[in-house]
Amino acid sequence: MLIMNEKIKASEVRLTGVDGEELGIVSRDEALALARELKADLVCTSLLSSPPPCRLTPRGTAKQTAAKEKQQERKAAQPAKVKEIRLTPHIEDHDYETKRRQAEKLLASGDAVQFVVKIQGKEGQRAKELLEQLLKELAEVGRKETGIQLSGKQAAVRVNPVQ
């Protein structure tokens, strides 16, 4: 939570200037007067110490910074989306390159990718080789979460982005 200007209740504050210079311990009224004079906001950075540390920031930037931090926290709290990319064992080179580039983009943007290769008959080994080749080429941007799973009619592997 952001406490600024008149909402600061302490009688004295440890003040830091706009450029980061230490201004020492001053009364709240003196700090508010200085903030008005410099067309700045007085922002309390912590309530845990006495007197509370406060800093002068250009007007409006404190709220913007707090909003950005809140947005970043919200974004980080969301689980990574898993995007599925489907292939066949007999994929053309051009199509393979397109799927690989698509996976690179998804991994770079922070999403996980699930590769699924549809299998018919005895194509299991070919599907496994295809997935291993993809994993090798995507090693810089993604790491496999699971091993290659062959089951019935498909082979699958999940790749997470590298942080």
Side-chain angles (χ1 to χ4, degrees):
M1 194 169 111
L2 197 62
I3 298 173
M4 52 195 274
N5 299 333
E6 281 75 22
K7 290 183 181 164
I8 298 170
K9 299 295 181 205
S11 57
E12 288 185 324
V13 295
R14 181 182 304 276
L15 191 60
T16 306
V18 178
D19 299 320
E21 69 279 7
E22 280 295 324
L23 301 175
I25 296 172
V26 296
S27 74
R28 172 186 167 246
D29 298 331
E30 211 177 307
L32 285 170
L34 187 60
R36 272 189 225 101
E37 190 181 307
L38 295 172
K39 291 187 171 58
D41 284 326
L42 182 65
V43 181
C44 186
T45 53
S46 170
L47 295 173
L48 300 175
S49 58
S50 179
C54 294
R55 70 176 190 275
L56 294 170
T57 59
R59 191 157 280 153
T61 58
K63 278 188 179 176
Q64 281 182 329
T65 307
K68 267 187 190 161
E69 285 173 4
K70 202 171 187 180
Q71 190 176 12
Q72 291 291 337
E73 284 174 22
R74 222 180 298 130
K75 194 173 183 181
Q78 287 180 343
K81 291 188 174 86
V82 180
K83 305 286 186 169
E84 187 174 290
I85 295 180
R86 293 179 180 201
L87 311 154
T88 60
H90 306 292
I91 190 169
E92 299 285 329
D93 290 342
H94 175 265
D95 294 339
Y96 172 82
E97 286 302 314
T98 304
K99 298 281 187 180
R100 186 185 55 75
R101 278 196 309 273
Q102 183 183 13
E104 272 179 11
K105 280 183 190 169
L106 289 168
L107 289 166
S109 71
D111 292 329
V113 176
Q114 171 99 9
F115 288 106
V116 177
V117 182
K118 296 292 177 191
I119 303 171
Q120 294 173 346
K122 296 179 178 166
E123 297 173 336
Q125 190 57 38
R126 173 74 183 110
K128 193 171 181 178
E129 288 167 9
L130 181 70
L131 289 173
E132 284 170 353
Q133 181 182 348
L134 261 171
L135 288 170
K136 215 179 289 172
E137 291 179 15
L138 294 172
E140 301 161 12
V141 288
R143 286 205 172 60
K144 66 180 180 177
E145 177 186 302
T146 59
I148 296 173
Q149 298 160 337
L150 284 166
S151 60
K153 297 184 183 223
Q154 69 180 23
V157 68
R158 182 169 168 181
V159 182
N160 288 333
V162 175
Q163 261 68 318

